[in-house]
Coordinates of all heavy atoms in Angstrom, one line a residue:
G17 N 15.9 -2.4 -8.4 CA 15.7 -3.9 -8.3 C 16.4 -4.7 -9.3 O 15.8 -5.5 -9.9
S18 N 17.8 -4.4 -9.5 CA 18.4 -5.0 -10.6 C 19.5 -6.0 -10.1 O 20.4 -6.3 -10.9 CB 19.0 -3.8 -11.4 OG 19.6 -2.9 -10.6
N19 N 19.4 -6.4 -8.9 CA 20.3 -7.5 -8.4 C 19.9 -8.9 -8.9 O 20.7 -9.8 -8.8 CB 20.4 -7.4 -6.9 CG 19.2 -7.7 -6.2 OD1 18.1 -7.4 -6.7 ND2 19.2 -8.3 -5.1
T20 N 18.7 -9.0 -9.5 CA 18.2 -10.3 -9.8 C 17.1 -10.1 -10.9 O 16.6 -9.0 -11.2 CB 17.6 -10.9 -8.5 OG1 17.2 -12.3 -8.9 CG2 16.5 -10.1 -7.9
G21 N 16.5 -11.2 -11.4 CA 15.2 -11.2 -12.1 C 15.2 -10.3 -13.2 O 16.2 -10.1 -14.0
L22 N 14.0 -9.7 -13.5 CA 13.8 -8.9 -14.7 C 14.5 -7.6 -14.6 O 15.1 -7.2 -15.7 CB 12.3 -8.5 -14.7 CG 11.3 -9.7 -14.7 CD1 9.9 -9.2 -14.8 CD2 11.6 -10.7 -15.8
G23 N 14.9 -7.1 -13.5 CA 15.7 -5.8 -13.4 C 17.1 -6.1 -14.0 O 17.7 -5.3 -14.7
N41 N 19.3 -0.9 -5.2 CA 19.0 -2.2 -4.6 C 19.1 -2.2 -3.0 O 19.9 -1.3 -2.5 CB 19.9 -3.3 -5.0 CG 19.7 -3.7 -6.5 OD1 18.6 -4.3 -6.8 ND2 20.6 -3.3 -7.4
R42 N 18.4 -3.2 -2.4 CA 18.6 -3.3 -1.0 C 19.9 -4.2 -0.7 O 20.3 -4.1 0.4 CB 17.4 -4.1 -0.4 CG 16.2 -3.2 -0.3 CD 15.0 -3.9 0.1 NE 14.7 -5.1 -0.8 CZ 13.7 -6.0 -0.7 NH1 12.9 -5.9 0.3 NH2 13.5 -6.9 -1.5
R43 N 20.3 -5.0 -1.7 CA 21.5 -5.8 -1.5 C 22.4 -5.6 -2.6 O 22.1 -5.2 -3.7 CB 21.0 -7.3 -1.5 CG 20.5 -7.9 -0.2 CD 20.1 -9.3 -0.3 NE 18.8 -9.5 -1.0 CZ 17.6 -9.2 -0.6 NH1 17.5 -8.9 0.7 NH2 16.5 -9.4 -1.3
A64 N 19.6 1.3 -1.5 CA 18.4 2.0 -1.1 C 17.2 1.1 -0.9 O 17.0 0.1 -1.7 CB 18.0 3.0 -2.3
D65 N 16.4 1.4 0.1 CA 15.2 0.6 0.3 C 14.0 1.4 -0.1 O 13.7 2.4 0.6 CB 15.2 0.3 1.9 CG 13.9 -0.7 2.1 OD1 13.0 -0.8 1.2 OD2 13.8 -1.2 3.2
L66 N 13.4 1.0 -1.2 CA 12.3 1.8 -1.7 C 10.9 1.5 -1.1 O 9.9 1.9 -1.6 CB 12.2 1.5 -3.3 CG 13.4 2.1 -4.0 CD1 13.5 1.7 -5.5 CD2 13.4 3.7 -4.0
A67 N 11.0 0.9 0.1 CA 9.8 0.9 0.9 C 9.3 2.3 1.4 O 8.3 2.5 1.8 CB 10.0 -0.1 2.1
N92 N 11.6 -0.8 -11.7 CA 11.4 -2.2 -11.8 C 11.1 -2.8 -10.4 O 10.3 -3.8 -10.3 CB 12.5 -2.9 -12.4 CG 12.5 -4.4 -12.2 OD1 11.8 -5.0 -12.9 ND2 13.3 -4.9 -11.3
A93 N 11.7 -2.2 -9.3 CA 11.5 -2.8 -8.1 C 10.1 -3.0 -7.6 O 9.2 -2.2 -7.8 CB 12.2 -1.9 -6.9
G94 N 9.7 -4.2 -7.2 CA 8.3 -4.5 -6.9 C 8.3 -5.8 -6.1 O 9.2 -6.6 -6.0
I95 N 7.1 -5.9 -5.3 CA 7.0 -7.0 -4.4 C 5.5 -7.5 -4.6 O 4.6 -6.7 -5.1 CB 7.3 -6.7 -2.9 CG1 6.4 -5.5 -2.4 CG2 8.7 -6.5 -2.7 CD1 6.5 -5.2 -1.0
V115 N 6.1 0.2 -2.2 CA 7.1 0.0 -3.2 C 6.6 0.2 -4.6 O 7.2 0.8 -5.4 CB 7.7 -1.4 -3.0 CG1 8.8 -1.7 -4.0 CG2 8.2 -1.7 -1.6
I143 N 7.5 -0.7 -14.8 CA 7.2 -2.2 -15.0 C 5.8 -2.5 -14.4 O 5.5 -2.4 -13.2 CB 8.2 -3.1 -14.3 CG1 9.6 -2.9 -15.0 CG2 7.9 -4.5 -14.5 CD1 9.7 -2.8 -16.5
A144 N 4.9 -2.8 -15.4 CA 3.5 -3.0 -15.1 C 3.3 -4.6 -15.0 O 4.3 -5.2 -14.4 CB 2.6 -2.5 -16.2
S145 N 2.2 -5.2 -15.4 CA 2.0 -6.6 -15.2 C 0.8 -7.0 -16.0 O 0.0 -6.1 -16.5 CB 1.7 -6.8 -13.7 OG 1.1 -8.1 -13.4
Y158 N -1.3 -6.2 -5.1 CA -0.5 -6.3 -6.3 C -1.3 -5.8 -7.5 O -0.9 -4.9 -8.3 CB 0.0 -7.6 -6.5 CG 1.0 -7.8 -7.6 CD1 2.4 -7.4 -7.4 CD2 0.7 -8.3 -8.9 CE1 3.4 -7.6 -8.4 CE2 1.6 -8.4 -9.8 CZ 2.9 -8.0 -9.6 OH 3.9 -8.2 -10.6
K162 N -0.5 -2.5 -9.8 CA 0.0 -2.6 -11.2 C -1.1 -2.0 -12.1 O -0.7 -1.5 -13.1 CB 0.2 -4.0 -11.6 CG 1.4 -4.7 -10.8 CD 2.7 -4.0 -11.1 CE 4.0 -4.6 -10.5 NZ 5.2 -4.0 -10.9
P188 N 5.2 -7.3 -18.3 CA 5.7 -8.7 -18.5 C 4.6 -9.7 -18.3 O 3.7 -9.5 -17.6 CB 6.8 -8.8 -17.4 CG 7.0 -7.6 -16.9 CD 5.8 -6.8 -17.1
G189 N 4.7 -10.8 -19.0 CA 3.7 -11.8 -18.8 C 4.2 -12.7 -17.6 O 4.7 -12.1 -16.7
Y190 N 4.1 -13.9 -17.7 CA 4.5 -14.9 -16.6 C 6.0 -15.2 -16.9 O 6.2 -16.0 -17.8 CB 3.6 -16.1 -16.5 CG 2.2 -15.7 -15.9 CD1 1.2 -15.1 -16.7 CD2 2.0 -15.8 -14.6 CE1 0.0 -14.6 -16.2 CE2 0.8 -15.4 -14.0 CZ -0.2 -14.9 -14.8 OH -1.4 -14.4 -14.2
M191 N 6.8 -14.7 -16.0 CA 8.3 -14.8 -16.2 C 8.8 -15.7 -15.0 O 8.4 -15.6 -13.8 CB 8.9 -13.5 -16.2 CG 8.1 -12.4 -16.9 SD 8.1 -12.6 -18.7 CE 9.8 -12.1 -19.2
T193 N 11.0 -16.0 -12.4 CA 11.8 -15.2 -11.4 C 11.3 -15.5 -10.0 O 10.3 -16.3 -9.8 CB 11.7 -13.7 -11.6 OG1 10.3 -13.2 -11.2 CG2 11.9 -13.2 -13.0
N194 N 11.9 -14.9 -8.9 CA 11.5 -15.1 -7.6 C 10.0 -14.8 -7.4 O 9.2 -15.4 -6.6 CB 12.3 -14.2 -6.6 CG 13.7 -14.4 -6.7 OD1 14.1 -15.5 -6.9 ND2 14.5 -13.4 -6.4
N195 N 9.6 -13.7 -8.1 CA 8.2 -13.2 -8.0 C 7.1 -14.3 -8.3 O 6.1 -14.3 -7.8 CB 8.0 -12.0 -9.1 CG 6.6 -11.4 -9.1 OD1 5.8 -12.1 -9.6 ND2 6.4 -10.3 -8.6
T196 N 7.4 -15.3 -9.2 CA 6.5 -16.3 -9.5 C 6.9 -17.7 -9.0 O 6.3 -18.7 -9.4 CB 6.3 -16.3 -11.0 OG1 7.7 -16.5 -11.6 CG2 5.7 -15.1 -11.7
Ligands
NAD301 P1 12.2 -10.4 -8.1 O1 11.6 -10.6 -6.8 O2 13.3 -11.3 -8.7 O3 12.8 -8.9 -8.2 C1 12.2 -7.9 -7.6 C2 13.3 -6.8 -7.4 O4 12.7 -5.6 -6.6 C3 14.5 -7.4 -6.6 O5 15.6 -6.8 -7.1 C4 14.2 -6.7 -5.3 O6 15.2 -6.6 -4.5 C5 13.7 -5.4 -5.6 N1 12.9 -4.8 -4.5 C6 11.8 -5.3 -3.9 N2 11.5 -4.5 -2.9 C7 12.4 -3.5 -2.8 C8 12.6 -2.4 -1.9 N3 11.8 -2.1 -0.9 N4 13.7 -1.5 -2.2 C9 14.5 -1.8 -3.3 N5 14.3 -2.8 -4.2 C10 13.3 -3.7 -3.9 O7 11.0 -10.4 -9.2 P2 10.9 -9.9 -10.7 O8 9.9 -10.9 -11.3 O9 12.2 -9.8 -11.4 O10 10.1 -8.6 -10.5 C11 10.6 -7.3 -11.1 C12 9.4 -6.5 -11.4 O11 8.6 -7.2 -12.4 C13 8.4 -6.3 -10.3 O12 7.9 -5.0 -10.3 C14 7.4 -7.3 -10.6 O13 6.1 -6.9 -10.0 C15 7.3 -7.2 -12.1 N6 6.6 -8.4 -12.7 C16 7.1 -9.6 -12.7 C17 6.5 -10.7 -13.3 C18 6.9 -12.1 -13.4 O14 6.3 -12.9 -13.9 N7 8.0 -12.4 -12.7 C19 5.4 -10.4 -14.2 C20 5.0 -9.1 -14.2 C21 5.5 -8.1 -13.5

Side-chain angles (χ1 to χ4, degrees):
S18 41
N19 60 331
T20 180
L22 305 184
N41 287 287
R42 290 174 299 181
R43 277 180 287 280
D65 185 347
L66 292 168
N92 167 76
I95 55 174
V115 178
I143 301 309
S145 165
Y158 189 80
K162 294 298 184 178
Y190 285 83
M191 317 293 282
T193 68
N194 300 332
N195 176 288
T196 52

